[in-house]
């Protein structure tokens, strides 16, 4: 599983780093974000890239888990 920690960054950095990680076409990816805008943008990117998305709220923001759709 690939993990991208972009807490502390504002868009477009979280989106760009997630997009870069997706170039390796991982089966699963976890993205840690701490802003609502980054969460929305990353979720949209993962869905557009054919990933099923789950979101967990944490004390430090959100953990977005994407798993490749079959």
């Amino acid at each position: 599983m690939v993990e991208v920690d972009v807490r502390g960054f504002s868009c477009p950095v979280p989106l760009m780093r997630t997009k870069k990680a997706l170039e390796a076409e991982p089966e699963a990816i976890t993205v840690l974000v701490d802003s609502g805008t980054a969460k929305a943008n990353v979720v949209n990117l993962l869905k557009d890239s054919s990933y099923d998305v789950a979101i967990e709220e944490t004390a430090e923001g959100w953990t977005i888990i994407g798993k490749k759709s079959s």
Side-chain angles (χ1 to χ4, degrees):
M1 176 181 287
V2 173
E3 182 173 298
V4 180
D5 185 354
V6 287
R7 291 174 290 187
F9 294 98
S10 37
C11 275
V13 174
L15 195 60
M16 292 169 43
R17 290 192 179 173
T18 303
K19 191 171 184 177
K20 179 73 176 171
L22 291 177
E23 289 178 1
E25 299 183 10
E27 286 297 314
I29 184 169
T30 299
V31 184
L32 308 173
V33 299
D34 61 359
S35 83
T37 301
K39 179 184 79 166
N41 289 338
V42 169
V43 166
N44 287 335
L45 173 64
L46 291 175
K47 287 181 177 178
D48 288 346
S49 301
S50 301
Y51 283 83
D52 293 325
V53 176
I55 304 168
E56 298 174 6
E57 189 166 358
T58 68
E60 298 175 347
W62 294 272
T63 299
I64 303 167
I65 302 166
K67 294 184 180 176
K68 197 75 171 168
S69 301
S70 45

